[in-house]
């Protein structure tokens, strides 16, 4: 079977930095994505890593280590609006299934 | 550009009734996905289309769920008969195609929230 492990909840304060980890055990691996979902809203795409290393997009960065089957999402200068659920997702092969983890609920406190 | 359109946004039915959801992907997007999201969980892939062919439907409960994508554009997901455990949000998503960054970036609709009583 396929498994993606992420912490269920993370709490941080405004202005801080938080890291959300994702480890995966899957039958194939083409790339790792991250999505944000606010309560009652649609998941929105944040980033994608197909190769090892760090991808930076504004306040958000994502990292991948294929040899460790591990990635993380780094959120800097946290804002209240960052309170949401964050999902990692693995593309098993080119053009194939995209499977999601169970999500991490991030709460940003003032 | 217009996003992924879904309807209806909300539907309440009794068990054993049937329901259908409609999705119109972003224009030009070849790949279309239906996901089921139960409250507090991650989206679970039900079926994936590439144009009007099925790429994966391994987790679609085929005794009660069906989906089609006519002419490689719009798609319909049907449940008949519905069970209590089908209560969930049904998310439609589309992506441009295969290869490179497109592999990771899906565009989701707002979802159709189904309550089965």
């Amino acid at each position: 079977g396929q498994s993606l492990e992420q912490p269920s909840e993370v709490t941080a304060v405004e202005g801080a930095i938080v890291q959300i980890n994702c480890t995966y055990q899957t039958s194939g691996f083409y790339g790792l994505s991250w999505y944000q979902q606010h309560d009652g809203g649609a998941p929105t795409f944040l980033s994608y890593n197909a190769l090892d290393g760090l991808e930076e997009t504004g306040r958000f960065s994502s990292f991948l280590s294929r040899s460790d089957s591990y990635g993380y999402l780094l959120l800097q200068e946290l804002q209240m609006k960052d309170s949401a659920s964050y999902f990692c997702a693995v593309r098993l092969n080119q053009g194939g299934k995209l499977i999601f983890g169970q999500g991490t609920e991030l709460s940003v406190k003032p | 550009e217009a996003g992924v359109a879904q309807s209806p946004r909300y539907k309440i039915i009794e068990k054993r009734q049937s329901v259908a959801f409609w999705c119109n992907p972003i224009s030009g997007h070849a790949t279309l996905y239906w996901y089921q999201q139960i409250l507090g969980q991650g989206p679970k892939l039900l079926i994936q289309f590439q144009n009007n062919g099925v790429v994966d439907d391994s987790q679609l409960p085929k005794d009660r769920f069906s989906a089609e994508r006519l002419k490689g554009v719009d798609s319909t997901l049907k449940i008949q008969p519905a069970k209590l455990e089908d209560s969930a949000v049904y998310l439609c998503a589309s992506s441009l195609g295969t290869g490179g960054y497109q592999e990771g970036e899906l565009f989701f609709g707002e979802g159709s929230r189904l309550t089965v009583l």
Side-chain angles (χ1 to χ4, degrees):
Chain A
Q2 326 284 1
S3 76
L4 283 76
E5 299 286 336
Q6 359 177 182
S8 57
E9 296 179 345
V10 172
T11 302
V13 296
E14 251 185 316
I17 299 172
V18 72
Q19 179 174 312
I20 299 173
N21 299 321
C22 174
T23 56
Y24 56 88
Q25 283 188 299
T26 54
S27 56
F29 181 85
Y30 194 79
L32 181 71
S33 298
W34 289 93
Y35 286 80
Q36 178 192 62
Q37 186 178 33
H38 286 100
D39 272 352
T44 56
F45 172 78
L46 294 175
S47 69
Y48 176 67
N49 296 68
L51 303 176
D52 286 358
L54 192 67
E55 293 275 345
E56 297 181 71
T57 310
R59 293 188 297 115
F60 294 178
S61 302
S62 58
F63 172 83
L64 174 65
S65 168
R66 295 174 68 116
S67 60
D68 295 322
S69 298
Y70 164 76
Y72 66 72
L73 180 69
L74 191 73
L75 298 85
Q76 303 182 73
E77 300 172 19
L78 280 174
Q79 302 174 9
M80 298 297 289
K81 66 178 182 180
D82 297 329
S83 291
S85 292
Y86 293 83
F87 296 91
C88 60
V90 166
R91 176 75 73 177
L92 298 185
N93 49 64
Q94 184 174 0
K97 290 174 70 168
L98 185 74
I99 57 172
F100 283 75
Q102 293 298 295
T104 298
E105 186 173 354
L106 172 64
S107 297
V108 181
K109 307 294 186 186
Chain B
E1 82 187 340
V4 176
Q6 290 190 246
S7 67
R9 287 295 314 277
Y10 304 93
K11 189 74 176 180
I12 300 174
I13 61 173
E14 296 193 348
K15 60 183 179 184
R16 291 188 290 273
Q17 287 187 323
S18 64
V19 62
F21 303 113
W22 173 82
C23 173
N24 182 235
I26 292 173
S27 178
H29 279 198
T31 311
L32 185 146
Y33 313 75
W34 284 102
Y35 284 88
Q36 179 193 58
Q37 187 174 28
I38 293 171
L39 188 64
Q41 298 183 17
K44 171 189 166 185
L45 180 68
L46 293 175
I47 189 166
Q48 177 178 335
F49 294 96
Q50 178 76 14
N51 296 309
N52 59 353
V54 175
V55 173
D56 191 287
D57 63 357
S58 58
Q59 295 195 90
L60 186 74
K62 298 180 185 65
D63 57 334
R64 299 184 301 106
F65 286 64
S66 65
E68 60 181 8
R69 189 183 186 196
L70 299 176
K71 300 181 181 178
V73 182
D74 292 8
S75 178
T76 303
L77 176 71
K78 296 179 181 177
I79 308 174
Q80 181 179 12
K83 293 185 175 181
L84 296 177
E85 59 260 37
D86 298 332
S87 293
V89 176
Y90 291 86
L91 294 164
C92 179
S94 67
S95 63
L96 191 55
T98 59
Y101 210 71
Q102 297 168 158
E103 293 284 351
E105 185 175 16
L106 269 60
F107 297 83
F108 282 85
E110 292 295 320
S112 294
R113 184 178 298 273
L114 173 66
T115 302
V116 182
L117 302 176

